Amino acid sequence: MMKRRFKRQLQSLEAVFAYLETFLQQHRLKPQLLPVISLAVEEIFTNCVKYNPSGVGNILIQLTLKKRSLEIRITDPDAPPFDITRAPAADTAAPLSQRESGRLGLHLVRQMMDTVQYEYRDGQSIITLQKALEPNHV
Amino acid sequence: MFDVRVEPDGEISLVGRFDAAQVEKAQAVFDSIQESRVINFRQLDYISSAGLGLLLKTQKRLKDMGERLRLKHLNPHIRDVFRYAGFDAIFEILDE
């Protein structure tokens, strides 16, 4: 398991991506997994930055390689409760004039990841993502 | 690393990784578009909802003017992202 904390700012994204890439390389996972997990992590991380900019403490990202999946846990240590698994879905079939970009990030997380779980504990928001590893990922 | 380049033929090339930290950089270029353009994704490795949002906003504005963005050279991952987002229905993706 690898864990690291990142400052609550968009400028942290470059370091977040480098951290994800290092993990994949260390565990010899295929590079095509990187944009998929990067997208999911970015969407959750930027939501922490955008919707909780005054939260105290850095955002923790933990990566765990399990037997057949990669688990990514993103913890905001000082967050109001907001269960992303209950957020309404984006309407991706709406015509252009009615399309909005809000909720698109969470929609993409749900598409990219196999499971998305939310916990709220002691003022902390904990989002756990699982991505099953296909034979071509290892 | 991310860059937005206006090519001599008017095409707009996106380069690198278009994440949420890069939207401001792209905003000025996209806001200046006043007519139909082709966006070339050949050198783009990655795009997130922030980049998609800017493309959407631009497409909506251009549509009101009778103009549009068309896209080309999306890599397989970005094609998947567009499909998940339903963007393949609101952007013409030019055949390779």
Side-chain angles (χ1 to χ4, degrees):
Chain A
M1 191 255 277
M2 205 182 225
K3 61 180 179 181
R4 193 174 149 187
R5 294 182 194 278
F6 296 89
K7 279 189 184 169
R8 193 186 295 268
Q9 57 189 25
L10 293 183
Q11 294 90 324
S12 296
L13 281 174
E14 194 166 342
V16 170
F17 295 138
Y19 167 66
L20 298 175
E21 187 169 17
T22 298
F23 183 87
L24 291 192
Q25 287 169 348
Q26 285 184 356
H27 292 277
R28 300 193 179 156
L29 297 175
K30 287 280 162 55
Q32 57 258 41
L33 203 46
L34 183 60
V36 175
I37 63 169
S38 296
L39 183 52
V41 171
E42 174 184 335
E43 301 298 347
I44 303 296
F45 186 86
T46 55
N47 277 356
C48 295
V49 173
K50 273 164 52 178
Y51 299 115
N52 190 29
S54 53
V56 175
N58 295 339
I59 308 298
L60 173 65
I61 300 177
Q62 295 168 269
L63 305 171
T64 308
L65 185 61
K66 304 204 155 179
K67 196 168 177 187
R68 290 195 181 88
S69 67
L70 172 60
E71 180 183 278
I72 303 164
R73 181 162 292 173
I74 302 160
T75 302
D76 185 337
D78 178 34
F82 180 78
D83 185 349
I84 63 162
T85 64
R86 294 179 183 275
D91 184 358
T92 57
L96 178 62
S97 58
Q98 292 167 35
R99 286 298 303 266
E100 299 292 337
S101 58
R103 298 199 295 269
L104 189 54
L106 288 183
H107 172 77
L108 291 174
V109 172
R110 290 173 183 146
Q111 296 296 315
M112 296 277 158
M113 297 289 109
D114 293 291
T115 69
V116 179
Q117 293 172 301
Y118 171 82
E119 263 184 275
Y120 190 73
R121 204 193 311 147
D122 301 327
Q124 297 188 95
S125 158
I126 304 164
I127 293 166
T128 305
L129 312 173
Q130 299 267 3
K131 179 67 180 173
L133 296 175
E134 307 291 331
N136 66 342
H137 285 153
V138 296
Chain B
M1 189 273 288
F2 175 70
D3 200 10
V4 186
R5 296 180 194 149
V6 182
E7 306 295 352
D9 61 1
E11 265 191 19
I12 293 171
S13 291
L14 303 177
V15 181
R17 192 174 54 223
F18 195 171
D19 62 49
Q22 309 302 331
V23 169
E24 257 185 62
K25 190 171 191 176
Q27 185 97 47
V29 172
F30 278 85
D31 284 353
S32 72
I33 298 173
Q34 298 295 320
E35 59 197 3
S36 295
R37 294 290 190 104
V38 171
I39 312 295
N40 192 330
F41 281 60
R42 186 187 295 280
Q43 297 176 82
L44 191 71
D45 302 314
Y46 171 97
I47 189 166
S48 64
S49 69
L52 296 178
L54 184 55
L55 288 171
L56 176 64
K57 180 180 149 194
T58 308
Q59 188 75 321
K60 288 170 93 166
R61 179 173 60 78
L62 288 177
K63 189 187 175 192
D64 289 344
M65 297 159 59
E67 309 287 340
R68 61 185 172 150
L69 298 177
R70 293 185 297 161
L71 317 181
K72 70 180 192 183
H73 300 316
L74 279 64
N75 72 28
H77 163 72
I78 293 178
R79 277 187 183 266
D80 284 345
V81 172
F82 268 67
R83 190 163 42 83
Y84 296 145
F87 273 30
D88 49 348
I90 58 178
F91 288 93
E92 182 183 354
I93 298 175
L94 300 172
D95 289 331
E96 319 287 66

